[in-house]
Amino acid sequence: MYPQGRHPAPHQPGQPGFKFTVAESCDRIKDEFQFLQAQYHSLKVEYDKLANEKTEMQRHYVMVRAVIVKYYEMSYGLNIEMHKQESNLCVCVLQHQQQVAQAVERAKQVTMTELNAIIGVRGLPNLPLTVCISPFLPSFDLRPGAKLHMNGSLTSPGVYPGLISPQMSAAAAAAAYGRSPIAGFDPHPHMRAPGLPASLTSISGGKPAYSFHVSADGQMQPVPFPPDALIGPGIPRHARQINTLSHGEVVCAVTISNPTRHVYTGGKGCVKIWDISQPGSKSPVSQLDCLNRDNYIRSCKLLPDGRTLIVGGEASTLTIWDLASQTPRIKAELTSSAPACYALAISPDAKVCFSCCSDGNIAVWDLHNQTLVRQFQGHTDGASCIDISHDGTKLWTGGLDNTVRSWDLREGRQLQQHDFTSQIFSLGYCPTGEWLAVGMESSNVEVLHHTKPDKYQLHLHESCVLSLKFAYCGKWFVSTGKDNLLNAWRTPYGASIFQSKESSSVLSCDISADDKYIVTGSGDKKATVYEVIY
């Protein structure tokens, strides 16, 4: 450890002793200090090197652990999806087997007289009856008034489109509807390019069904979409993203002004106003501080004149903002007994505001006098979503109690109650009437008729459906979910028009009054503006 010659040899007897001067002693001490200092620096370099290696190993460990966790999450999700598809396939196979058995029994009972009466043939000889059973053959309706389309599907007066499954056997269709199997049939024709061969537009046997018609007795049948499902006036072809609004917090509520110029995004403690008429706008033009700083906005609605904004969320108070003044200001606050408001709706005449309360009540507010005039009571858990009919006479609400209820606003009473096995997270009423679309915690979208028991069930979402909105033309609607998806559907049978995948859960959505723009709010602290392409 010490350099050679650093210490003198021990004093030997008979030898003269060494005598050092003070200066020599100081020099030796200085040499020792420099040596120790150099050794200290060397050890410090080694220590720093080991510390860096430790940090690098820890970083690699975290990365490997994250990859392993992601792998197990993906494996688990894949297993769940495989089980779900396997269950759906088993249900379809069992249904088809039952239909084929019923068709065979019915076919055995058909006489030549009945057959002639069905096909309307007179004077033919008694030919032997032959039944061809194949799930890939079409069926044609020979009843009076039925119209035949080019791809083999049909419409008939008084019959809902889509009540006959494309995967039903031809014999079943022949027995049940008086049809005769004739030629090959693609259950899901490619409607964008009808000239393409079936081998290029669908897998063998047709694409997996995702839209089902549910009859009054609970029978589910895949829906054959009509030829004009994805074409025609008012039906979009796709949507393209044109702007991203970086709100800075999770965006739980969005709304678009009419005419389309401003987008309002609600996050934690504030609503931000964006001018989307300026291309590439990256900053809000105004910020409205609402509720408490740590409470999320759950809903914001513009009055039809665009001069007033009503905001509700995780607080007992609704805030009414005057947007017409030079600087937006609060002009009134409405306070209820419920600790939170989950959704808002405005009457068409802008005189009344309806708020879905966390205690299950629907509060009815007089906006002119700024008073609570009524409460609709019925939901046994939080009321989560709401919409109002175009004529302002009927209100629809969904709740965490697994029910959807309709209310007569003229008589102030409940009209209907629909019970489900899942919590209701979103709903929308078609502006043209008749159809109500409901988004479920179970990932299903169900489209109900307002008077008839028949409904459609749609299965493209992989997780809970968080928001839903009809286009103002009523021909299509969109839904968003925790699965990061924005889905556009054809009213009412749910043909998929387009789909967009975002980077996080899509919590809210709105459609502009001219049906040309869609805006979504998501969990990655931004809103996305889409242009609808027709």
Side-chain angles (χ1 to χ4, degrees):
M1 180 174 178
Y2 298 99
Q4 293 181 0
R6 183 172 144 192
H7 291 286
H11 176 68
Q12 300 294 330
Q15 293 182 357
F18 290 99
K19 292 183 180 180
F20 296 100
T21 65
V22 173
E24 289 174 339
S25 298
C26 290
D27 289 340
R28 293 180 67 83
I29 292 172
K30 182 179 178 183
D31 291 342
E32 289 182 15
F33 173 78
Q34 290 176 344
F35 175 81
L36 291 173
Q37 192 175 40
Q39 193 171 32
Y40 164 78
H41 283 298
S42 175
L43 292 173
K44 188 174 184 298
V45 169
E46 288 293 327
Y47 170 80
D48 291 340
K49 182 178 178 182
L50 291 173
N52 290 335
E53 290 177 354
K54 176 185 176 184
T55 302
E56 187 69 16
M57 291 179 67
Q58 287 176 335
R59 189 174 68 85
H60 281 293
Y61 168 78
V62 171
M63 291 177 60
V64 170
R65 185 175 181 274
V67 169
I68 293 173
V69 170
K70 187 67 175 177
Y71 168 79
Y72 280 110
E73 288 178 349
M74 292 176 63
S75 299
Y76 177 78
L78 184 60
N79 288 337
I80 295 295
E81 183 62 24
M82 289 176 63
H83 284 301
K84 185 188 296 184
Q85 293 192 7
E86 186 178 26
S87 299
N88 290 339
L89 182 60
C90 290
V91 170
C92 290
V93 170
L94 290 175
Q95 291 175 347
H96 295 164
Q97 288 177 343
Q98 293 174 357
Q99 292 162 1
V100 170
Q102 293 171 359
V104 171
E105 291 300 319
R106 175 70 181 95
K108 290 177 180 178
Q109 300 171 6
V110 175
T111 65
M112 281 307 303
T113 303
E114 292 173 340
L115 181 61
N116 289 338
I118 291 172
I119 64 176
V121 178
R122 297 293 182 268
L124 290 179
N126 291 330
L127 300 176
L129 176 62
T130 303
V131 178
C132 176
I133 302 175
S134 170
F136 306 109
L137 297 182
S139 48
F140 300 93
D141 196 346
L142 301 178
R143 293 172 293 171
K147 299 177 181 178
L148 181 64
H149 294 291
M150 291 185 64
N151 73 334
S153 62
L154 59 90
T155 60
S156 178
V159 179
Y160 279 103
L163 296 190
I164 303 169
S165 163
Q167 295 151 336
M168 179 188 292
S169 69
Y177 300 100
R179 300 177 182 184
S180 167
I182 296 179
F185 175 56
D186 176 10
H188 291 271
H190 195 284
M191 298 175 189
R192 295 289 183 210
L196 291 177
S199 60
L200 298 181
T201 59
S202 66
I203 62 175
S204 177
K207 299 176 182 177
Y210 58 84
S211 173
F212 297 85
H213 176 266
V214 184
S215 62
D217 58 359
Q219 293 286 333
M220 290 181 61
Q221 296 292 338
V223 176
F225 302 131
D228 62 348
L230 302 180
I231 57 177
I235 307 301
R237 290 188 292 117
H238 61 91
R240 65 184 182 94
Q241 180 179 330
I242 61 172
N243 206 345
T244 298
L245 312 177
S246 300
H247 182 94
E249 291 289 348
V250 173
V251 180
C252 300
V254 293
T255 193
I256 307 177
S257 66
N258 181 23
T260 305
R261 179 179 178 182
H262 292 113
V263 168
Y264 300 79
T265 59
K268 184 185 287 188
C270 74
V271 172
K272 295 184 179 181
I273 307 175
W274 309 78
D275 187 351
I276 62 171
S277 64
Q278 303 295 327
S281 175
K282 297 297 183 182
S283 301
V285 297
S286 186
Q287 176 173 319
L288 315 179
D289 293 322
C290 311
L291 313 182
N292 297 323
R293 182 177 297 274
D294 294 328
N295 293 347
Y296 280 100
I297 310 298
R298 298 295 293 269
S299 182
C300 56
K301 293 293 182 182
L302 283 167
L303 266 58
D305 62 6
R307 299 164 61 89
T308 302
L309 181 74
I310 303 180
V311 180
E314 297 173 348
S316 58
T317 301
L318 304 182
T319 307
I320 303 179
W321 287 83
D322 179 7
L323 304 178
S325 60
Q326 186 173 3
T327 302
R329 63 181 183 85
I330 296 176
K331 65 178 182 180
E333 291 185 339
L334 309 176
T335 303
S336 71
S337 58
C341 165
Y342 292 153
L344 294 169
I346 309 296
S347 63
D349 60 8
K351 293 181 179 180
V352 178
C353 172
F354 304 89
S355 63
C356 287
C357 301
S358 55
D359 59 6
N361 293 334
I362 312 299
V364 184
W365 302 92
D366 181 338
L367 292 178
H368 178 71
N369 298 316
Q370 297 162 10
T371 56
L372 178 66
V373 295
R374 175 179 290 168
Q375 287 197 95
F376 290 126
Q377 297 179 332
H379 288 289
T380 57
D381 202 347
S384 57
C385 47
I386 190 169
D387 203 2
I388 190 169
S389 64
H390 188 67
D391 59 6
T393 62
K394 186 182 292 186
L395 193 71
W396 294 88
T397 60
L400 304 181
D401 58 355
N402 300 2
T403 67
V404 169
R405 302 166 190 257
S406 64
W407 311 85
D408 188 321
L409 298 181
R410 292 167 296 189
E411 300 181 7
R413 63 183 181 87
Q414 180 175 312
L415 293 175
Q416 295 173 296
Q417 175 176 327
H418 300 271
D419 296 308
F420 298 90
T421 58
S422 170
Q423 290 183 326
I424 312 302
F425 282 179
S426 56
L427 62 75
Y429 189 65
C430 181
T432 56
E434 293 192 340
W435 299 102
L436 176 78
V438 181
M440 309 282 188
E441 187 271 338
S442 65
S443 81
N444 292 345
V445 174
E446 299 206 2
V447 185
L448 316 177
H449 194 274
H450 72 122
T451 58
K452 299 179 181 179
D454 295 65
K455 64 181 180 180
Y456 294 93
Q457 194 174 97
L458 316 179
H459 294 265
L460 278 183
H461 280 288
E462 299 172 358
S463 188
C464 48
V465 183
L466 299 175
S467 70
L468 192 149
K469 179 72 175 181
F470 269 94
Y472 285 80
C473 68
K475 296 182 178 180
W476 55 281
F477 65 96
V478 297
S479 62
T480 71
K482 190 179 177 182
D483 55 2
N484 307 0
L485 288 179
L486 165 69
N487 278 313
W489 313 87
R490 185 72 156 89
T491 307
Y493 41 79
S496 179
I497 301 174
F498 62 82
Q499 187 179 81
S500 177
K501 183 88 168 180
E502 297 197 9
S503 56
S504 183
S505 299
V506 188
L507 309 177
S508 53
C509 68
D510 195 19
I511 300 176
S512 62
D514 57 7
D515 293 339
K516 292 183 179 180
Y517 297 93
I518 300 171
V519 63
T520 62
S522 68
D524 54 3
K525 303 181 180 182
K526 69 180 182 181
T528 305
V529 182
Y530 297 87
E531 181 183 9
V532 181
I533 309 299
Y534 290 91

